Structure formats: C-alpha cells, structure tokens
Amino acid sequence: MIELEQVLPEEIERRSLEIITKELGDRTFPAGQEQVVKRVIHTTADFDYADSLIFSDGAVEKALEALREGCTIVTDTNMGKAGVNKKSLHKMGGEVLCFMADEDVAGKAKSDGTTRAAASMEKAAGLGRDCIFAVGNAPTALVRLYELIQEGRLRPKLIIGVPVGFVNVVQSKELILSLKDTPYIVARGRKGGSNVAAAVCNALIYQINREQ
C-alpha cells in the first residue's frame, strides 16, 4: 500500500522546505546564503548543492542591493527567463531579458563564428545598465562574460554561473571563480541548469519580498 500525504497546494512549498531543513541537519550557512541553497535544493531535490554552490564575499548582499535599485537580470535561455518571478522583480523596478532569439544576436554569432549565448552577453554589455547575469545553460556565455570583464567593458552586479553539462562547463565556471572584483554565485562542477539559475534569482528576490 502506497501512502500519500494529504497536503494542500499552498502548503507544498512550506512542507518541502521543512523536509530540506530537517535533512540538512546541523548544516549552517552564512546569512543570505541559506535561502539560496534551500531554494536550489527545493527546485532540484539535489542536496549536493549544499556543498557545490560557491559564493564570493558579500555576493548575496551586493545582489540584493542591486535588485532593490531596479537592476536588470539577463538570462542565457528563455527557459531561465520564464522561471524568474517577474511580477516581484517589476515591483522593484527591474526586468528580466533574454536575447537568444534576437535576429541581431544570430547575425553577430554567425559573423563572429561564435555562439548565440556569447553574442547575447555582448549585446547585454552594450545596454549601459546594471545587470545580474543568470547563466544556466551555455558555458560560452560565461567565457564571454569573463572576457568582457577582463576587457573592462562590463561590470556585472552578480554572475550566477550554473550551466549544466560536460563540454567546457567546469572550466567556464572556474574562470568566473577566478574573478577578484566581480560578485558571483557558482555551482561548481557539472551540475546546474536554467531552472537552477532561475531558482537563485528567485531566492534573492524573495528575500527582498520578506523585507517589505
């Protein structure tokens, strides 16, 4: 006999977070990071993120400040864009953008012999806005972000580096981890995904919601 819990829809998230907290046991995280770690575990059911999520010093605090000031979030997939809570983001004056389907990005990628993800990061660099970059799919996006920072053309408020896969995924994340003056949240190793990128964004947004 399979026994199912009787849980109302609005209680599912609360119960899930209770289970996550219980299974983490005595694990503790610095202020602000706990909500990010738990939100990612909630999204993936993967407790490895408790160890693999790497935060630069003050990354959460700097990201929250940027979001309060209406920072733009740029994603490398429309799936990631779809997963971000836009209603809550808009209340802070922010928006989420993805350029992957733009014709000019496709043309730029073709002429430069690169990927749309890399070209979309270059387009974002030309916005002249404060941006948080949420990369959940394309390591080439992280590589181009690294290059743009080294060239002095971009100063991200935060890089969420969580692409998933096998080819250049680990290496691209290590490039971001080597940055000294750029805030980042990186899922070290092969794991990640657009859902993880959106989960990190939402964890940050929800922290501000609780303040209001």
Side-chain angles (χ1 to χ4, degrees):
M1 178 70 71
I2 297 174
E3 295 185 7
L4 299 176
E5 291 187 67
Q6 298 300 314
V7 185
L8 295 173
E10 60 269 23
E11 290 293 309
I12 292 174
E13 180 174 313
R14 184 187 63 79
R15 281 283 295 116
S16 297
L17 290 172
E18 286 177 355
I19 292 168
I20 290 166
T21 299
K22 181 178 179 181
E23 294 198 19
L24 284 170
D26 296 332
R27 290 289 302 271
T28 59
F29 305 90
Q33 295 183 19
E34 180 178 1
Q35 289 87 345
V36 176
V37 171
K38 287 184 177 179
R39 178 65 53 182
V40 171
I41 294 173
H42 176 262
T43 298
T44 62
D46 189 341
F47 282 82
D48 285 353
Y49 286 105
D51 297 306
S52 65
L53 281 175
I54 310 297
F55 298 76
S56 65
D57 291 340
V60 171
E61 293 75 15
K62 293 171 184 175
L64 294 179
E65 180 180 357
L67 288 168
R68 291 187 192 102
E69 294 175 355
C71 183
T72 297
I73 296 174
V74 177
T75 69
D76 69 324
T77 64
N78 280 303
M79 182 183 296
K81 177 184 176 181
V84 175
N85 189 319
K86 287 169 280 295
K87 183 177 179 180
S88 294
L89 184 61
H90 289 165
K91 288 180 181 177
M92 295 179 280
E95 64 176 330
V96 56
L97 302 174
C98 179
F99 302 123
M100 289 293 287
D102 292 6
E103 290 185 8
D104 58 336
V105 166
K108 175 74 172 171
K110 185 175 181 179
S111 64
D112 290 353
T114 185
T115 66
R116 289 192 183 197
S120 70
M121 297 299 107
E122 188 147 355
K123 179 171 181 175
L127 292 175
R129 300 189 194 180
D130 289 335
C131 292
I132 288 173
F133 292 87
V135 178
N137 182 69
T140 54
L142 288 188
V143 173
R144 189 61 187 133
L145 286 175
Y146 175 84
E147 292 170 346
L148 290 164
I149 292 166
Q150 297 300 105
E151 293 165 10
R153 295 175 54 194
L154 187 64
R155 295 188 65 182
K157 291 299 182 179
L158 176 72
I159 295 176
I160 300 168
V162 294
V164 60
F166 301 94
V167 179
N168 288 329
V169 167
V170 172
Q171 296 91 326
S172 67
K173 291 176 180 179
E174 292 299 320
L175 282 176
I176 302 305
L177 289 170
S178 73
L179 293 170
K180 302 301 182 185
D181 299 316
T182 301
Y184 58 72
I185 300 173
V186 171
R188 202 166 212 161
R190 294 173 170 175
K191 292 182 180 181
S194 296
N195 59 333
V196 175
V200 174
C201 291
N202 288 334
L204 297 169
I205 292 168
Y206 296 157
Q207 288 190 49
I208 297 173
N209 284 352
R210 283 192 285 270
E211 296 171 358
Q212 298 171 345

